[in-house]
Amino acid sequence: MNLHEYQGKDILNSFGVKVQRGIVADNHKKAVDAAKQLAAETGTGWWVVKAQIHAGGRGKGGGVKLAKSLEEVESISKSIIGMMLKTPQTPPEGKKVNQVLIAEDVYYPGESEPEEYYMSVLLNRSSGRNMIMYSTEGGMDIETVAEETPHLIFTEEVDPSTGLMPFQARKIAFNLGLSGKAFKEMVRFVTALYRAYVESDSSLFEINPVLKTSDDMVLAVDAKVTLDNNALFRHKDYLDLRDLREENPIEVEANAVGLNYVDLDGNVGCMVNGAGLAMSTMDLIKQSGGEPANFLDVGGTADAERVETGFRIIMKDPNVKAILVNIFGGIVRCDRVAQGIVDAYNNLGDSIHIPIIVRLQGTNAVEAKELLDASGLDVISVVEFKEAADKVQEVLS
Ligand code: GDP
Ligand code: MN
């Protein structure tokens, strides 16, 4: 589950990680009140107005702006709230901004220049360890840094059973070129950040930039936090942080009825039981020259009702031009699934006007094929996996 910047910062703060302070607002009046409150609490006279959407690159897209007066807070908030913000990470039409974060300005001048660093915490699946990635090149696109100056990205692997060792935190501060007070601040920052990552059961923290202020404080200016859905049962209070407005509406609907659905760009709808078979079905569609429109795992109980729900969900995507049903009957009997397809077809009759290719294999596959062939429906029933994928291409071309 992805979070907004302000929610991520709240979680970091709750574990003692220093963050740029801010208050979220969903209209320009509340934005001005937030700015006043921050001024009273922190003494700041300048603020940054930051669009809250689930995408990065907001600064470049005009979604992060400095305000030097309450009037500017008001006018900038007015223009950002409600806008369609386009960044390299949003869909081409952009994402609607529902809220802004009014944050204290932390780039104030002082004895030294503010410095921006990059830091993320994530899981290295191949080593089975957590990993802290960090760089002196903060504030910019980390993909660009990785491409052009890969030697400026460091990684520190952490054994989850020992946690982050003090020497590792010091090494990170050292590699970032820090000394004195800033060095100690960075050690404290990394230590708290790692603990927050583990205890919040997150799967990704990306803090870009981590800022060293002109008076040598170290704090998170941005926060991309992804929580591990499999651990949400341990954090009931985090459940409220989900913002459905940010998610694909078809996926939200499918998930609500217990279907594992991921929207993709192609035109071949897929209905499959089991995640592994769903992945290989997508591979085979591609091999035959097609593009899958979705990943859909209807699960072990591929009964008539679920098949019908699956069809309904797949057909909400206007790009779908053909549907491939690929179901292996292990526990579920193929003739039951075939009956489900027939029922679904009859129930949805008017709305199904695209070819459906069905491949059923396993228990009672022969009966299933007979049932489909005898149904008189416009369903193409095939036996072999590859044949099914080729058939899809044939009907589409
Ligand atoms: P992103 O563009 O979506 O990654 O959003 P960020 O939260 O990283 O903000 C983008 C940029 O805004 C940062 O890299 C900073 O350069 C700038 N910024 C953020 N906070 C402040 C601030 O307090 N003062 C000033 N002057 N600039 C800021
Ligand atoms: Mn950022």
Side-chain angles (χ1 to χ4, degrees):
M1 183 167 103
N2 290 330
L3 300 184
H4 284 295
E5 173 195 357
Y6 79 92
Q7 297 168 324
K9 281 177 165 172
D10 281 350
I11 291 182
L12 295 185
N13 183 49
S14 73
F15 288 99
V17 180
K18 258 192 202 141
V19 300
Q20 174 191 41
R21 292 177 58 189
I23 299 170
V24 75
D26 58 10
N27 66 49
H28 60 272
K29 276 203 156 130
K30 288 189 199 160
V32 172
D33 289 343
K36 285 181 186 159
Q37 194 183 327
L38 276 175
E41 286 174 17
T42 68
T44 191
W46 288 4
W47 303 265
V48 257
V49 182
K50 310 183 79 179
Q52 298 298 288
I53 54 168
H54 285 190
R58 297 164 302 164
K60 282 188 204 124
V64 177
K65 292 209 164 113
L66 185 65
K68 298 185 177 176
S69 66
L70 290 172
E71 289 71 35
E72 282 183 14
V73 169
E74 180 169 0
S75 61
I76 294 170
S77 300
K78 242 185 198 162
S79 67
I80 292 184
I81 296 172
M83 84 185 284
M84 291 296 286
L85 179 57
K86 290 179 199 156
T87 85
Q89 296 181 19
T90 61
E93 70 277 14
K95 277 197 141 187
K96 185 165 179 226
V97 182
N98 297 305
Q99 296 162 294
V100 287
L101 179 65
I102 306 300
E104 57 171 335
D105 169 40
V106 284
Y107 285 61
Y108 45 80
E111 290 185 6
S112 63
E113 284 292 308
E115 295 275 356
E116 295 180 321
Y117 310 111
Y118 171 92
M119 189 169 291
S120 58
V121 191
L122 64 164
L123 175 68
N124 181 347
R125 288 173 191 275
S126 49
S127 67
R129 289 163 182 240
N130 291 321
M131 181 161 87
I132 300 176
M133 279 178 61
Y134 61 103
S135 175
T136 48
E137 307 305 289
M140 23 199 279
D141 199 16
I142 197 65
E143 285 80 10
T144 312
V145 181
E147 213 160 278
E148 291 169 6
T149 48
H151 60 283
L152 295 178
I153 299 181
F154 300 93
T155 58
E156 187 67 28
E157 292 231 339
V158 183
D159 188 328
S161 57
T162 57
L164 182 73
M165 303 297 278
F167 81 88
Q168 294 181 295
R170 290 196 296 270
K171 184 167 141 200
I172 291 169
F174 179 80
N175 282 340
L176 288 173
L178 299 173
S179 59
K181 181 187 169 202
F183 182 97
K184 284 188 189 150
E185 278 270 320
M186 182 58 81
V187 168
R188 219 172 279 147
F189 182 87
V190 178
T191 307
L193 191 72
Y194 182 81
R195 189 183 141 233
Y197 172 81
V198 171
E199 293 189 14
S200 63
D201 285 313
S202 289
S203 54
L204 173 72
F205 272 7
E206 188 177 49
I207 317 296
N208 188 18
V210 172
L211 188 76
K212 180 187 80 67
T213 63
S214 58
D215 47 0
D216 286 342
M217 296 212 300
V218 171
L219 43 84
V221 165
D222 193 4
K224 177 178 175 167
V225 169
T226 305
L227 300 173
D228 182 348
N229 290 351
N230 296 311
L232 275 176
F233 72 96
R234 294 205 284 217
H235 305 276
K236 297 271 185 315
D237 50 325
Y238 292 169
L239 287 173
D240 297 339
L241 302 179
R242 187 167 178 197
D243 187 349
L244 292 176
R245 295 171 297 188
E246 294 288 331
E247 297 180 25
N248 178 305
I250 310 180
E251 290 181 7
V252 171
E253 199 182 329
N255 294 346
V257 294
L259 292 174
N260 211 339
Y261 174 96
V262 181
D263 197 31
L264 300 168
D265 293 332
N267 58 3
V268 183
C270 311
M271 177 146 49
V272 189
N273 66 335
L277 189 59
M279 298 296 279
S280 43
T281 303
M282 286 168 25
D283 282 352
L284 221 73
I285 287 172
K286 282 205 123 170
Q287 256 184 34
S288 301
E291 285 291 334
N294 66 276
F295 168 98
L296 172 58
D297 172 12
V298 289
T301 52
D303 56 18
E305 203 187 322
R306 282 179 85 74
V307 170
E308 187 175 327
T309 314
F311 275 126
R312 278 187 206 280
I313 299 280
I314 290 175
M315 293 203 313
K316 282 188 192 266
D317 177 352
N319 298 326
V320 170
K321 297 288 179 281
I323 298 178
L324 172 57
V325 180
N326 187 11
I327 288 185
F328 180 76
I331 296 168
V332 59
R333 282 166 32 194
C334 290
D335 53 328
R336 283 256 179 99
V337 178
Q339 191 58 51
I341 293 169
V342 173
D343 292 350
Y345 211 101
N346 289 331
N347 288 342
L348 297 167
D350 292 346
S351 44
I352 301 188
H353 35 67
I354 50 176
I356 298 180
I357 293 92
V358 180
R359 181 218 176 217
L360 294 169
Q361 263 303 2
T363 312
N364 290 2
V366 176
E367 288 85 342
K369 188 164 187 331
E370 282 169 10
L371 203 151
L372 283 178
D373 289 345
S375 70
L377 296 179
D378 192 13
V379 173
I380 304 162
S381 156
V382 292
V383 178
E384 290 302 322
F385 197 163
K386 182 78 170 63
E387 191 191 343
D390 288 343
K391 201 79 188 169
V392 171
Q393 278 324 104
E394 202 182 303
V395 299
L396 283 180
S397 55

